[in-house]
Amino acid sequence: MEIVCPAGTPASLRAAVKAGAHTIYCGFADETNARNFPGLNFDRAEMRDGIAFAHRHGAKVLIAINTFPRAGAEAIWHSAISDAATLEADAVILADLGLLDHAAQKHPGLRRHLSVQAAAANADMINFYAATFGVKRVVLPRVLSVPEIAAINAETKVETEVFVFGGLCVMAEGRCSLSSYATGKSPNMYGVCSPPSHVDYREEAGELKARLGGYLIHSAAKGEPAPYPTLCKGCFTAGDQSGYLFEDPVSLNAEQLIPQLQKAGVTALKIEGRQRSASYVAQVVQNFRAAVDALAAGRPMPAGLLARLSEGQASTTGAYKKTWR
Amino acid sequence: MQPAPLAIRTAPPLLAIALRPLPLPLLSAALTALTRSVAARHPSLFRRLGPYSTARFVLDPTDLPFVICLLPDAAKPQVALHRRAQQGDTKIAGPLAALLGLVHGAFDGDALFFSRDLVIEGNTEAALALRNAIDDAELDIGAELQALSGPFAGVMGQAISVAQARTGLCLTRPDQGEWI
């Protein structure tokens, strides 16, 4: 199985390649990608060098252009696709219908993957994208169980890629407005969920208070992990009850489900975390590469070592082992 | 599932005691020279800071008797040491081992933050920009000090090795071999 790894910086890209990544995904330093954080991403020269480095070592580079163009500003996204083709990226990861059409028309030789932001969660939808825009691979949303993924793969020839490690989004990606509500900036158009310019951590009365856009979203007592700064993982009080309204502050770790995902017909395993460090990328890639190599060789899966790297420092197998529907 | 916290050691108490009487202006000048050398060798670090290249960062090694104020302006970066309680656009506090581990890629910044080994106060965006810029620069403080030492680079290298062994602090970047 193919390991698809995140890279927020050229250093992370090199770390991923050295650690054994088959494929790296990354984005340009602007709002065309969904991790438009300060200090992250690649200018055009860095992307050219990163792709050349990866290709020299037998790895592929996918460029995420997976936000939704703002009306009147489409040229920024068109330029990103054109540059991805010029820089010889192995594929672009797109979500917007108009962009998919543009890429298919103007750059037919550039391989197109469907981003998780498109939230394509059934075979009919995926086959539509393939027939209409020539999409070769779909990144499945993190709401599907393993049997549901198997059902999709039975009905499509499009390759499927699934998240196996990292942050989880609530509900269908690309349609969440929680961060927009609190900050006035849309993650889906500007590329930043919970923009750090709107995040505030402060010690008050012996607790660490996390706020987004002025809204208190969590308090952590001394010794508890720092709260994750998104509304979806916030802890809220209504009446005399307090709890995680949307989802627990846990992140995905499906390491032990890799054999089932392989049986379900999955082509590629995706690691989330372009905002994480090169050190994180290297550790996670090494673990997942060891796991898929063990699987290919018929050896037992190695024990997981990744828990402490999880956001919120707690992990789940998410919807893959769904018990709550 | 709650994993074990990261094992971050604190600096040896003797180090703090040894540093306490040293004149801060002298240490500040030495760190400014080091930072300017880094700026010359790693211009992309300052480019990645974007609008925060003129911000005032307070770095607080909580097990040392001073804080470090960094003005990273690419043209003329400055470092000044102060006895605690300094104001800045953002403050990043944690044991010296955590801060050095971040610089040398031994630790992940998010993991340190969520485990509360690192504390960030003030402008979160500035702190994030600095973290990302430093992570990409792949700095090696040991190598930077050697580069500054001219003909004494070898002696400096040996001194760094001894200091690293004695204190347990990560003063150099692990050798990952040559990849081109």
Side-chain angles (χ1 to χ4, degrees):
Chain A
M1 297 174 90
E2 180 182 333
I3 304 286
V4 182
C5 306
T9 61
S12 289
L13 183 147
R14 291 190 295 272
V17 171
K18 291 175 188 175
H22 301 109
T23 302
I24 295 95
Y25 68 101
C26 45
F28 291 123
D30 57 33
E31 63 264 56
T32 61
N33 88 88
R35 286 290 180 275
N36 183 22
F37 287 98
L40 274 193
N41 297 314
F42 293 64
D43 64 25
R44 268 40 175 187
E46 289 170 337
M47 188 67 84
R48 179 198 62 219
D49 294 346
I51 291 171
F53 179 86
H55 286 175
R56 276 199 299 279
H57 297 287
K60 294 177 182 171
V61 175
L62 318 178
I63 300 182
I65 307 173
N66 56 346
T67 48
F68 296 84
R70 295 188 308 279
E74 295 89 345
I76 300 170
W77 280 261
H78 293 170
S79 158
I81 291 174
S82 171
D83 289 343
T86 304
L87 297 171
E88 299 184 355
D90 294 282
V92 284
I93 309 171
L94 308 174
D96 183 77
L97 284 168
L99 269 191
L100 280 159
D101 185 57
H102 174 88
Q105 298 289 334
K106 304 285 185 187
H107 306 281
L110 181 61
R111 185 177 160 99
R112 292 171 292 286
H113 291 186
L114 189 66
S115 168
V116 68
Q117 289 281 97
N122 60 65
D124 288 347
M125 196 170 175
I126 293 163
N127 288 333
F128 169 78
Y129 279 107
T132 312
F133 305 116
V135 163
K136 300 293 185 200
R137 179 181 294 183
V138 56
V139 184
L140 293 176
R142 288 162 276 191
V143 295
L144 298 166
S145 65
V146 174
E148 287 170 332
I149 292 169
I152 286 173
N153 278 320
E155 294 179 45
T156 183
K157 289 189 169 60
V158 177
E159 296 172 359
T160 54
E161 179 176 312
V162 301
F163 282 93
V164 287
F165 195 80
L168 279 170
C169 276
V170 65
M171 302 302 170
E173 284 97 333
R175 298 172 190 172
C176 178
S177 294
L178 288 171
S179 181
S180 302
Y181 175 79
T183 69
K185 294 187 87 173
S186 163
N188 301 319
M189 291 193 286
Y190 290 93
V192 197
C193 176
S194 294
S197 53
H198 292 65
V199 172
D200 181 59
Y201 284 99
R202 199 165 297 185
E203 289 276 349
E204 291 175 10
E207 293 191 320
L208 181 61
K209 308 272 189 189
R211 290 183 172 85
L212 179 67
Y215 295 97
L216 178 65
I217 55 177
H218 207 338
S219 301
K222 196 173 171 67
E224 292 179 354
Y228 198 66
T230 59
L231 275 172
C232 59
K233 294 179 176 68
C235 186
F236 302 95
T237 300
D240 58 355
Q241 288 195 316
S242 294
Y244 298 104
L245 181 61
F246 301 101
E247 61 177 351
D248 287 346
V250 296
S251 66
L252 179 68
N253 185 358
E255 198 177 9
Q256 294 303 316
L257 296 177
I258 294 173
Q260 288 106 298
L261 292 168
Q262 186 185 43
K263 278 185 195 157
V266 168
T267 298
L269 305 173
K270 184 166 197 156
I271 296 162
E272 189 272 350
R274 277 187 283 152
Q275 74 281 26
R276 303 295 294 268
S277 67
S279 149
Y280 166 93
V281 168
Q283 289 179 65
V284 177
V285 172
Q286 280 166 3
N287 276 268
F288 276 96
R289 181 64 191 260
V292 296
D293 286 352
L295 185 65
R299 298 192 304 268
M301 294 279 290
L305 297 168
L306 297 164
R308 73 179 186 189
L309 290 168
S310 300
E311 287 169 350
Q313 298 206 312
S315 60
T316 173
T317 52
Y320 296 134
K321 290 173 93 171
K322 199 182 291 179
T323 55
W324 38 262
R325 178 179 282 181
Chain B
M1 180 166 55
Q2 291 292 339
L6 290 169
I8 309 293
R9 60 168 66 198
T10 52
L14 273 178
L15 179 63
I17 293 167
L19 288 173
R20 192 165 290 131
L22 292 181
L24 293 189
L26 192 66
L27 286 175
S28 300
L31 283 175
T32 296
L34 176 65
T35 307
R36 288 181 183 175
S37 171
V38 168
R41 288 156 58 95
H42 302 272
S44 69
L45 192 160
F46 296 88
R47 197 169 61 242
R48 279 193 178 272
L49 283 173
Y52 298 108
S53 62
T54 53
R56 179 180 165 90
F57 294 90
V58 178
L59 309 175
D60 182 358
T62 49
D63 42 7
L64 294 189
F66 49 73
V67 297
I68 303 162
C69 292
L70 168 65
L71 296 166
D73 185 353
K76 212 173 180 185
Q78 280 194 309
V79 178
L81 302 189
H82 299 276
R83 307 279 177 202
R84 303 287 150 207
Q86 283 296 305
Q87 296 296 314
D89 294 295
T90 190
K91 183 168 110 172
I92 304 171
L96 180 64
L99 298 174
L100 288 171
L102 263 185
V103 170
H104 291 125
F107 299 127
D108 173 64
D110 276 19
L112 287 174
F113 175 75
F114 288 118
S115 65
R116 296 179 76 171
D117 289 298
L118 275 188
V119 175
I120 294 171
E121 289 174 17
N123 188 324
T124 310
E125 188 166 62
L128 198 60
L130 181 65
R131 191 280 305 265
N132 290 335
I134 285 178
D135 196 55
D136 184 57
E138 298 182 291
L139 297 179
D140 184 331
I141 292 175
E144 299 295 339
L145 285 170
Q146 284 186 277
L148 267 180
S149 304
F152 303 105
V155 176
M156 177 60 81
Q158 288 174 348
I160 291 166
S161 296
V162 170
Q164 190 160 263
R166 292 269 171 88
T167 62
L169 296 169
C170 181
L171 300 175
T172 57
R173 179 169 285 271
D175 183 16
Q176 297 185 325
E178 202 56 33
W179 284 62
I180 55 172

